[in-house]
Amino acid sequence: MDVVNQLVAQGQFTIIKQPLGFIKVLQWIFAIFAFSTCGSYSGMFKMSVECKNRSDSDLGIEVKFEYPFRLHQVYFDAPTCKGGNRERSFLVGDYSSSAEFFVTIAVFSFLYSMAALSAYCFVVEKYRANNKGPQIDFVVTAVFAFMWLVSSCAWAKGLSDVKTATDPERVVDLLPACKEMENRCREVYDPKVSGLNTSVAFGFINVILWIGNLWFVFKETGWMAAFSGTYVPSQEKQAAPNAYGQQDPYAGSQGGYQPDYGEQGGYAEDGGYSQGYDQQPTSYSNQM
């Protein structure tokens, strides 16, 4: 417990208020919404088969289905309207691949966002050391942005197929008893798929968040200076003193600062330097 309190005390939580950390929080939240609305779904629809012989009818056939939407394994028993017999029927389609792919990307996005937030808050110095952390973060963010786009599009198409396969009007047309004119088949209750529609919306929101986060992570990588041309090589930095045509005072070939003691100069008695340095300077011992 002391270790946890120490980490919390040393944490730099102000980064959450900045775009880099705040978007990661949104990614973490919307990833939870995405995999929870899709992975926890279970639905049901009802049909009725009214036979010519009312005793053979079934007015409340319930068909239940759920994630991961392997509908070809979902079955129900419907009357054949022939002597009270019932026949087992199956739904059509297997849409587990797109649904599981979508949920998998959402779960891994949730885990990575949580790990990135921990790095931002507790080890930001190591994260920014040599720009290795931001560069890795940028690559992973780009991968997740692409995977979110692919998985969201795939799941949107899969959900459309799930809606078609679980439409009671289409299912009753596949029943043998409903193909006879004297029998009456109809839907009683449509499945509620609003949660699945929301999962698709959350998927594309994550696409926007991860693509938008690329810019803020890119600013941390140090690549921006190279692309903008603000990086100056070391040779150009050394040539900077000559930029205005001035002589480099430290250039060895020019002799450095060498005052000429033979020149006349100094203050004259009428106000200027008239006394020069034509005498040899005496040593300190002679002056004493």
Side-chain angles (χ1 to χ4, degrees):
M1 190 66 181
D2 294 337
V3 177
V4 175
N5 293 333
Q6 185 177 3
L7 287 175
V8 173
Q10 295 177 354
Q12 300 180 10
F13 297 100
T14 56
I15 197 171
I16 297 178
K17 299 180 181 180
Q18 301 174 7
L20 179 66
F22 182 71
I23 294 180
K24 271 290 186 291
V25 174
L26 294 180
Q27 291 172 348
W28 182 70
I29 294 174
F30 280 96
I32 296 175
F33 290 159
F35 70 73
S36 61
T37 52
C38 180
S40 62
Y41 178 83
S42 61
M44 182 265 296
F45 63 90
K46 287 184 179 181
M47 304 175 297
S48 69
V49 177
E50 186 176 352
C51 301
K52 183 178 181 180
N53 184 4
R54 297 298 179 86
S55 60
D56 297 337
S57 301
D58 190 345
L59 304 181
I61 304 174
E62 293 187 359
V63 182
K64 298 180 179 180
F65 61 98
E66 60 185 4
Y67 174 85
F69 308 105
R70 294 186 177 94
L71 300 182
H72 66 288
Q73 298 178 355
V74 178
Y75 62 87
F76 59 94
D77 295 329
T80 60
C81 297
K82 296 179 180 178
N85 296 326
R86 302 179 73 86
E87 185 178 22
R88 176 161 294 181
S89 301
F90 289 82
L91 297 181
V92 180
D94 182 5
Y95 310 102
S96 59
S97 58
S98 59
E100 290 177 339
F101 179 46
F102 179 80
V103 171
T104 300
I105 297 301
V107 171
F108 278 104
S109 298
F110 162 77
L111 296 176
Y112 179 74
S113 299
M114 186 168 56
L117 281 173
S118 300
Y120 295 165
C121 295
F122 300 111
V123 290
V124 66
E125 293 82 6
K126 294 182 179 179
Y127 169 80
R128 289 173 173 168
N130 299 324
N131 289 332
K132 294 298 183 182
Q135 291 173 4
I136 296 174
D137 192 12
F138 179 83
V139 174
V140 176
T141 301
V143 171
F144 270 111
F146 175 74
M147 298 305 289
W148 267 116
L149 178 62
V150 174
S151 62
S152 298
C153 293
W155 171 229
K157 177 61 171 62
L159 177 58
S160 178
D161 295 337
V162 169
K163 291 179 180 179
T164 301
T166 57
D167 185 0
E169 292 184 355
R170 292 178 176 269
V171 175
V172 294
D173 292 338
L174 301 177
L175 300 178
C178 298
K179 296 179 181 180
E180 299 179 5
M181 298 298 298
E182 62 270 15
N183 301 324
R184 182 182 177 187
C185 302
R186 62 185 179 88
E187 64 176 273
V188 178
Y189 181 81
D190 288 328
K192 294 182 178 180
V193 293
S194 57
L196 296 180
N197 293 332
T198 305
S199 69
V200 174
F202 284 140
F204 285 104
I205 290 175
N206 276 285
V207 174
I208 297 173
L209 288 174
W210 286 85
I211 292 178
N213 195 32
L214 283 173
W215 168 247
F216 298 102
V217 179
F218 177 75
K219 291 170 65 177
E220 298 287 331
T221 59
W223 294 333
M224 175 182 261
F227 281 106
S228 61
T230 57
Y231 174 76
V232 180
S234 58
Q235 294 180 355
E236 295 181 7
K237 292 180 180 179
Q238 293 175 359
N242 296 327
Y244 298 97
Q246 298 178 357
Q247 182 178 354
D248 188 357
Y250 300 100
S253 60
Q254 301 296 330
Y257 181 70
Q258 297 289 341
D260 188 359
Y261 294 104
E263 293 180 356
Q264 279 193 338
Y267 278 109
E269 291 182 357
D270 56 353
Y273 264 97
S274 63
Q275 183 177 0
Y277 292 95
D278 53 343
Q279 296 180 357
Q280 296 295 330
T282 59
S283 64
Y284 181 78
S285 60
N286 293 333
Q287 292 179 1
M288 292 299 291

